[in-house]
Amino acid sequence: MEKVVVAYSGGLDTSYCVKYLQNELNLEVHSVLVNTGGFSAEELKAVEVKAYEMGVKSHTNCNILETYYQKAIRFMVYGNVLKNNTYPLSVSAERVFQAIEVVEYAKKIDAKYIAHGSTGAGNDQVRFDMIFQTLAPNIEIITPIRDLRLSRQEEIEYLKKHGVDYPWSKAKYSINKGIWGTSVGGVETLTSHQGLPESAYPSQLEKTEPTDIKLHFKKGQLIGINDEIDSSVNTILKLEAIASKYAIGRDIHVGDTIVGIKGRVGFEAAAAVVTIKAHHLLEKHVLSKWQQNLKEQLASWYGMLFHDGQYFEPVMRNIEAFLEDSQKTVTGEVLVTLKPYHFSLNGIESPHDLMKSTFGEYGETNKAWSADDAKGFIKILGTPNKIFHSVNSEL
């Protein structure tokens, strides 16, 4: 019997895939869950139990948190990447690395097929298929829900027919959780005017009294909170545990999907949003004007390409090299106050703070030039404008 590997999360779509591959295609199904920070030990065990109840030959849980951080998250921090100035690529980026891991597992067990439960109307189908085709061109991709254009109800009825009757209909919202944030999709996000209700978000408001925290960065990487230094992965998880209690990092992202239609999705990403904004503030103090300007442009491209599944485009490695090099002086502490639903950045402390120069204090004193120097500088700086308007006085 030929083998097929399914990217399995325990949800409706992937459960349908398992049964379809067994019953309609007579394949030996092996499932793999790639954990990018969205599952507790109990949840991982529950998914494994469900996979075997579905009839898989084997099930594997793969934890790629450190790999995902090193190859993706740190560069998104370096670039302060927020798609459309809003979305920290909470799910978009992790799909790429989940796909890579699925391919590696399929090769390991010599599977002829790879399957996933994406529809034909979303971004994930593109990300998965592009990675699979790039890394494993000889492994065939099977996507029954996309190919058969199935509705959610049709999937449920098929599973019931084959003895699977979980309470799928109770899941009103589609939740995808990872270390860099959680996406939330529901009937409201299919409209242009409705917001998600408070109850839709997995993290609820638990704390109302403001809390001051200090974030430690070393060469652009978040390495500690309140003088407790740790790995970046552990620090992000700690920050999420603290900041999510304030219901921070919620928003709804509206953007252009890879397939060309507009898409709308809610998300909560407390650690990601606080980290990016704190990192950006530190950069404002320690980077030159032109470093910031060029980095912002390259980071925008990096985020767009990553979102669109173009991780293996060679220019991504070029941009990463620039982003990493730009972080040499991005070391210091950022002072943050967490509050219900929002936070404030109070300031930074860094040995590389360019405000500490002896050249002058903005709006107060000039120590490196005279009044005549300032007048001459302004006169020369304004010369191009004078030339243009003297020649084009009628405009």
Side-chain angles (χ1 to χ4, degrees), residues 36 68 71-77 79-98 123-124 127 176-183 249 251-256 258 265-269 271-273 276 298-311 316 320 323:
T36 50
Y68 179 41
K71 293 188 175 182
I73 292 175
R74 69 185 180 102
F75 293 108
M76 292 191 288
V77 175
N80 307 310
V81 173
L82 292 172
K83 187 75 164 62
N84 286 10
N85 295 314
T86 304
Y87 178 53
L89 301 189
S90 301
V91 174
S92 311
E94 67 183 33
R95 290 293 189 251
V96 169
F97 289 88
Q98 289 167 344
N123 289 324
D124 286 346
R127 296 171 183 136
N176 291 284
K177 185 177 182 181
I179 187 176
W180 208 230
T182 301
S183 68
D251 209 336
I252 293 181
H253 167 58
V254 182
D256 298 288
I258 308 171
V265 65
F267 67 89
E268 62 173 31
V273 173
I276 287 173
L298 289 176
S300 177
W301 278 101
Y302 187 79
M304 287 189 290
L305 289 165
F306 217 145
H307 174 272
D308 288 2
Q310 296 284 355
Y311 179 74
M316 294 291 277
E320 287 169 353
L323 291 176

Side-chain angles (χ1 to χ4, degrees), residues 51-252:
Y52 283 112
E53 288 176 350
M54 290 292 164
V56 301
K57 182 72 173 180
S58 72
H59 176 80
T60 300
N61 291 322
C62 300
N63 187 324
I64 62 164
L65 261 179
E66 187 61 33
T67 298
Y68 179 41
Y69 172 79
Q70 292 294 340
K71 293 188 175 182
I73 292 175
R74 69 185 180 102
F75 293 108
M76 292 191 288
V77 175
Y78 295 164
N80 307 310
V81 173
L82 292 172
K83 187 75 164 62
N84 286 10
N85 295 314
T86 304
Y87 178 53
L89 301 189
S90 301
V91 174
S92 311
E94 67 183 33
R95 290 293 189 251
V96 169
F97 289 88
Q98 289 167 344
I100 293 171
E101 194 68 24
V102 169
V103 167
E104 293 303 313
Y105 186 69
K107 289 179 177 179
K108 181 179 178 181
I109 68 169
D110 197 26
K112 184 177 180 180
Y113 305 97
I114 294 175
H116 62 83
S118 298
T119 69
N123 289 324
D124 286 346
Q125 59 171 334
V126 181
R127 296 171 183 136
F128 283 135
D129 283 15
M130 285 178 62
I131 297 299
F132 295 159
Q133 291 169 9
T134 300
L135 299 183
N138 297 322
I139 298 180
E140 187 175 336
I141 303 167
I142 303 175
T143 55
I145 295 172
R146 175 173 62 185
D147 296 344
L148 299 174
R149 303 182 69 177
L150 297 175
S151 68
R152 181 180 177 84
Q153 192 56 44
E154 287 173 319
E155 293 177 55
I156 292 172
E157 292 303 321
Y158 181 88
L159 287 170
K160 287 181 178 179
K161 177 182 174 182
H162 291 278
V164 181
D165 193 14
Y166 288 107
W168 308 108
S169 58
K170 290 184 179 180
K172 186 177 179 180
Y173 294 95
S174 174
I175 308 292
N176 291 284
K177 185 177 182 181
I179 187 176
W180 208 230
T182 301
S183 68
V184 184
V187 64
E188 295 88 356
T189 56
L190 298 177
T191 73
S192 296
H193 67 284
Q194 289 183 303
L196 288 166
E198 178 85 11
S199 59
Y201 293 97
S203 297
Q204 294 292 297
L205 180 65
E206 296 181 32
K207 297 190 68 174
T208 57
E209 288 296 318
T211 296
D212 293 327
I213 61 172
K214 179 166 62 175
L215 301 182
H216 301 262
F217 288 89
K218 182 177 182 180
K219 294 186 177 180
Q221 299 191 63
L222 180 64
I223 60 165
I225 302 176
N226 297 335
D227 298 323
E228 293 184 8
I229 307 303
D230 204 338
S231 70
S232 293
V233 167
N234 287 341
T235 303
I236 291 169
L237 293 173
K238 290 175 185 177
L239 179 57
E240 179 68 26
I242 296 169
S244 63
K245 289 181 171 57
Y246 287 91
I248 287 171
R250 294 179 178 181
D251 209 336
I252 293 181

